[in-house]
Structure formats: structure tokens, C-alpha cells
Amino acid sequence: MAFLEGAVYAVGLMCLLFIIRLYYIVKTGSSYKPGAKGPVAVLVVAGSGGHTTEILRLMESLSAGYTPRHYVIADTDRMSEEKICSFESSKQNSDSESQFSICRIPRSREVLQSWSSSVLSTLHALRFSLPLVFRLRPDVVLCNGPGTCVPLCVAALLLGILGMKKVLIVYVESICRVQTLSLTGKILYPISDYFFVQWSSLRDKYPKSIFLGRIV
């Protein structure tokens, strides 16, 4: 009985320390300034359809200091790979030292997939996201809504919780979201270091968000 009580106490203590560490990482994230001593490695989450188009528009505004760029797409997404390669080919014309890679993980959620099965597919994607993020160790994760970014952001957050590296999570909500956040936005809002919205109505509802007008 004493052993069981000790085990429960130990587990409870570990959970408490985990929560405290999570709170600290989330609250102090915006004070972290990557790139102060060199290039900024960025992990860019691209999704099918308009998500990739919007994220590449954001990438156009980033300087050459954001390198290497690691693009992550779903394993069934062929169109995004073509768009990324085309974008990087044009970028290399002006940046001889451009470095990028394209990585794939299982899709977290297919279109019209049920919510219950989405939990399982997201956990499956997390199994691939953890070793990928731990290997790349980016300075920043940049995403704008595809479900694929949820397991990647969780993996990036875990890097900080374990004290291995602080990774800034930057989320840009789609221009299509006017009154409410997307499901991905609602999930990542509490843990994002910078959360951008493109309509003032969303800024009023979500005080942590940053409104700079239309970004893409």
C-alpha cells in the first residue's frame, strides 16, 4: 500500500512539474529571439490547396537569414511539393546559398474524416513528427492552418519542455477565417508564441492574437 501511495505521489509530482514547465515555456516564448547569433532554421508546414499558396506568400517576405527551410507536407500531398520546388527554384536565382528540404509525415486529418478517427490519425502523425522535429531542431515553426501542423507544434513544444531547445511557434490564421478560428487555430491558440489573425473581429475575440491587417 505504501508503495502504491508513493507511486501515485511521484506521478502527481511529475505531472505538476510538467504543467509548470509547460506554463513557463508558453509564457516566456515571445521573449526568445532566434537568429541573434546567426541564421534562423525554420520549419514550414504546408497544406493542400490554399494553405500552401498562403504560406509561400509569407515565405516571400522572409530574408535570406531564414535558412535552412524545412518544408513539411502530408505524405499524400503532391501538389504542394511542386509549388515548393517552383518557389525555391525562383528564390535560388537571387540567393546562391539557399537551403531547403521537403519532409513528409502522415496526414493528420483527411477532408470529411470523422472527429473520432481524426484523434487516432493525429496520434499516428505525432509518432512521425517527434523524431523529425527532434532531428531538425528548428528555431521557428511557421504554420497557417493545415491539420498537419498540430502534431509538429506539439513536438516543437515538447523540445522546450524537455529543455532541449526553445522553438518559437508562429501561427497565421487563414484570411478566410473572419468570425471564428479554424479548428487548428483553436487548438494552437493557447500554445503559440505569436498568433496572427487577418481580421479585426478575430482580434477582438482573441486578445492574445496579433492583428496587422491582411498579411497574405
Side-chain angles (χ1 to χ4, degrees), residues 7-190:
V8 172
Y9 176 79
V11 172
L13 181 60
M14 290 178 63
C15 291
L16 178 61
L17 292 175
F18 181 87
I19 293 172
I20 293 174
R21 179 64 178 173
L22 173 61
Y23 178 83
Y24 173 79
I25 291 297
V26 172
K27 285 297 182 180
T28 61
S30 58
S31 62
Y32 171 64
K33 306 298 181 183
K37 298 182 180 180
V40 177
V42 56
L43 189 151
V44 186
V45 188
S48 57
H51 288 300
T52 296
T53 300
E54 288 188 2
I55 205 72
L56 291 179
R57 287 176 182 167
L58 286 172
M59 294 300 294
E60 288 177 353
S61 62
L62 297 185
S63 68
Y66 287 85
T67 186
R69 295 175 294 280
H70 305 290
Y71 296 91
V72 182
I73 60 178
D75 53 6
T76 57
D77 188 353
R78 304 300 175 194
M79 186 176 298
S80 293
E81 181 176 8
E82 295 176 1
K83 291 181 179 180
I84 292 168
C85 290
S86 177
F87 169 77
E88 286 293 337
S89 295
S90 63
K91 193 175 183 65
Q92 287 178 0
N93 293 333
S94 57
D95 180 13
S96 59
E97 297 183 0
S98 178
Q99 301 178 24
F100 79 100
S101 64
I102 298 178
C103 308
R104 295 180 178 275
I105 63 171
R107 190 182 292 273
S108 295
R109 182 174 184 269
E110 298 286 353
V111 178
L112 301 181
Q113 182 179 348
S114 66
W115 300 118
S116 57
S117 61
S118 295
V119 174
L120 296 177
S121 58
T122 299
L123 291 174
H124 178 60
L126 180 61
R127 186 167 68 90
F128 290 84
S129 300
L130 285 171
L132 176 64
V133 173
F134 277 50
R135 175 173 60 85
L136 297 177
R137 297 200 178 191
D139 297 300
V140 177
V141 173
L142 178 62
C143 52
N144 69 334
T148 305
C149 66
V150 173
L152 291 165
C153 288
V154 170
L157 185 65
L158 189 57
L159 265 181
I161 293 174
L162 295 177
M164 300 172 69
K165 183 176 185 178
K166 169 59 188 174
V167 181
L168 280 183
I169 298 176
V170 180
Y171 183 89
V172 181
E173 185 60 281
S174 172
I175 186 70
C176 300
R177 308 304 302 196
V178 180
Q179 297 296 333
T180 60
L181 297 179
S182 62
L183 176 61
T184 303
K186 291 176 181 177
I187 294 173
L188 296 182
Y189 177 75

